[in-house]
Structures are given as C-alpha cells and as structure tokens.
Amino acid sequence: MEVKVVKKRNSENRVFNIVNTILLVLFALIIVVPIWNILVSSVSGSSAGSSGLVLIPQDFTLENYKKVLSDESIPRALLISILKTVIGAFTHVAFCSVVAYGLSKTNLMGRSVYTMMGVITMYFSGGMIPTYLLIKSLGLLDTFWVYIIPALFSYYDVVILMNFFRDVPVSLEESAKIDGASEFTIFRKIYVPLSKPALATILLFNGVAQWNDFMTTKLYITNEKLYPLQMKIYEIIVQSNMNSMANSGSTDVIVESSTKGIQLATIVITTIPILMIYPLLQKHFIGGMMAGAVKE
C-alpha cells in the first residue's frame, strides 16, 4: 500500500515538474523574445521594417545607431542623465534612510504627526500647477537641481527602511551607546551596514526611475544644455514621426521602417546602462525583496 502511495506521489511530482518547466519556459520566452526582437530590428535594414517579428538580423546595418548618435548634443545629454541618476539615487537613499532612522524610534517626539504627514503624501499631491509654482518659487526652474531636490523624499521608501531598522537588535545600539557612540555613528556603523539589501533595492528602483524620467525636463527645463538622454531620445522619435508624415507617399513602407529602426535603436541605447548596472545589485536586490517574507 505504501509503495503505491510513493509511486503516486512520484508521478504527481513528475507531472508538476513538467508543467512547471513548460510554464517557466513560456514565461521566459514572453520576456526574452520582445527584447531580442527590438535588438535585432534595430540593426536590420529597412527591408525588415514591415516583416513584424524579426528573430534574425536582415541586411545588418548600424545606420540607425549612427543617426541617433550623430547629434552632437547626445554626449552631453548622456552625461546629464548619468549625473542626475547617480546623484539623485544616492541622495534619495541617504535622505530617506536618515528620516527612516528617526521615525523608527518609538520615543521620537511628534512621531505620530510625522507619520501621518508621510502617509498623506503617499495618497495626495498638490497637482501639476501648484507643483510648478512651488518649483518656480524655489528658483529651481532651468537648473540641474530640479532633478535632485524634488525627488529626495518618498515615504514609501521610508516605510521599507523603517521595517529594516526595527529588526536591528536593540542590544547592538545599547552597547554602542555604552562605548560612547553618537546617534550618527550608530546609524552609520550599525544600521546602514545591516540594511544593505533594502538600501540597494531602493537605490536600484530610484536609479531606474531617474534614468527613465523625462517629464521633469518637459515641465521645468527649457535650456537644452540641461536635457537628459531621455529627452533627446523623445525629440528624435518625435522628429522621426514628423519626417515620416511629411514624406508620405510611394515610400511609405521605407520611411516607416526607417523611423521604426531609429526608435528601436534609441530604446536599446537607453536600456543598456540599466542592464549593465542591475547584475551588480542583483544579490542585494533579491535580499531586499525577500526580507520580511519569512518570520521566525
């Protein structure tokens, strides 16, 4: 009887593994195939523009990338994007971690008031026009710091860090205070090292948001010297679409294919930096996402 039960369980496990493998393969294909199609199409000639899904490069060419990179302002835009992503992400993490450290202390005076103020910001905002007027009154219009200062705080990230800080043993802090350590020393040498997974997760999320953001530029920046790469890419795509409409006629397919190739090339260019950074933070990122999932 026991042998039959064991065989039945083994057969059920085998079926489950097969079904699970098939589903995971399909899920992987759903993710990989579109990315591969974009990459291959961006290095294919105009003949591949109307063929839909492209898995093998047709008429291999780098002309689309040359057209995108031929703009002399692209290197400066790339530098602006890198600076605002790096500075913005690190200052955001530093600011949120300091706020979270203070709010994680139950003896903080006015803690409930600060918490309520933070929760309100998660659900309500001033709106586009009041925010623009605030940015203008602060003198941030057409300055690099408009990318940094408004993005310093996120109460959602503060909540994540607060949960990490609460899990730090109180005995570590008490022993450090006995040795004469200040609050800043305790925060820097105990809480920050023990919260690297959460810090890396927030750093990655905010870095990706900073890298992809172009609405801040559209709303608050008119000086083209402060345009990030995303804004330049937006301009290239808009210009390509305008050229496609202006050249409508017997060459519709060729023009449309060329425009599509340029758009796909811009997508690849803006995606590569994030894909290069992600593996460096993957270990901490997974740890940050899984933290708190299992409680002893």
Side-chain angles (χ1 to χ4, degrees):
M1 186 67 178
E2 292 181 0
V3 176
K4 292 183 179 179
V5 173
V6 172
K7 289 183 177 179
K8 183 178 180 180
R9 288 180 179 175
N10 290 337
S11 61
E12 291 177 351
N13 291 336
R14 192 177 299 107
V15 172
F16 172 79
N17 290 334
I18 293 173
V19 174
N20 195 32
T21 302
I22 294 174
L23 291 177
L24 290 176
V25 169
L26 291 175
F27 183 72
L29 289 175
I30 292 173
I31 297 174
V32 173
V33 171
I35 297 176
W36 179 252
N37 178 53
I38 291 174
L39 180 61
V40 171
S41 298
S42 67
V43 295
S44 298
S46 58
S47 61
S50 58
S51 58
L53 183 64
V54 181
L55 298 179
I56 301 176
Q58 302 177 16
D59 301 329
F60 180 85
T61 178
L62 297 177
E63 189 64 28
N64 295 323
Y65 291 92
K66 291 179 181 179
K67 290 180 180 179
V68 175
L69 299 176
S70 62
D71 190 338
E72 296 180 354
S73 62
I74 290 294
R76 182 179 182 85
L78 177 61
L79 177 61
I80 294 294
S81 289
I82 293 175
L83 288 176
K84 84 183 191 74
T85 298
V86 173
I87 297 175
F90 278 97
T91 54
H92 175 86
V93 171
F95 189 83
C96 288
S97 60
V98 170
V99 175
Y101 176 73
L103 293 179
S104 65
K105 306 299 180 182
T106 55
N107 59 347
L108 176 67
M109 184 177 298
R111 179 173 176 271
S112 59
V113 176
Y114 300 141
T115 301
M116 181 60 65
M117 292 171 61
V119 172
I120 291 175
T121 64
M122 295 177 65
Y123 298 100
F124 303 98
S125 65
M128 183 180 296
I129 295 177
T131 302
Y132 179 87
L133 295 176
L134 175 62
I135 296 296
K136 182 179 180 180
S137 65
L138 293 175
L140 295 177
L141 291 180
D142 274 337
T143 65
F144 176 78
W145 297 108
V146 75
Y147 296 125
I148 308 302
I149 295 177
L152 279 177
F153 182 78
S154 169
Y155 191 72
Y156 178 81
D157 293 340
V158 169
V159 171
I160 294 176
L161 291 172
M162 283 172 56
N163 291 331
F164 266 83
F165 292 159
R166 287 170 180 168
D167 290 337
V168 175
V170 180
S171 57
L172 292 177
E173 182 176 352
E174 292 176 347
S175 61
K177 287 182 178 180
I178 293 174
D179 292 336
S182 63
E183 290 289 345
F184 180 74
T185 301
I186 294 173
F187 167 73
R188 181 169 58 89
K189 293 188 175 181
I190 296 178
Y191 281 83
V192 170
L194 293 177
S195 303
K196 284 183 178 179
L199 296 175
T201 301
I202 294 174
L203 183 69
L204 180 61
F205 282 163
N206 189 261
V208 172
Q210 280 279 11
W211 180 263
N212 291 330
D213 176 49
F214 73 95
M215 281 302 299
T216 300
T217 307
K218 283 182 64 66
L219 293 174
Y220 309 124
I221 299 292
T222 57
N223 184 1
E224 292 188 2
K225 293 183 179 180
L226 293 175
Y227 278 9
L229 183 60
Q230 294 292 341
M231 189 62 186
K232 298 301 297 184
I233 297 305
Y234 171 79
E235 287 187 337
I236 291 173
I237 293 176
V238 171
Q239 187 63 38
S240 298
N241 289 334
M242 291 178 62
N243 292 339
S244 176
M245 295 175 62
N247 291 280
S248 60
S250 60
T251 58
D252 272 351
V253 175
I254 296 177
V255 173
E256 181 181 352
S257 302
S258 177
T259 302
K260 180 182 177 182
I262 293 175
Q263 294 175 356
L264 296 178
T266 59
I267 293 174
V268 173
I269 291 173
T270 55
T271 304
I272 286 177
I274 296 299
L275 293 179
M276 294 174 62
I277 293 174
Y278 178 78
L280 302 177
L281 299 175
Q282 182 179 15
K283 179 179 67 175
H284 298 295
F285 172 73
I286 294 175
M289 294 296 290
M290 292 300 296
V294 178
K295 294 292 185 181
E296 295 183 358

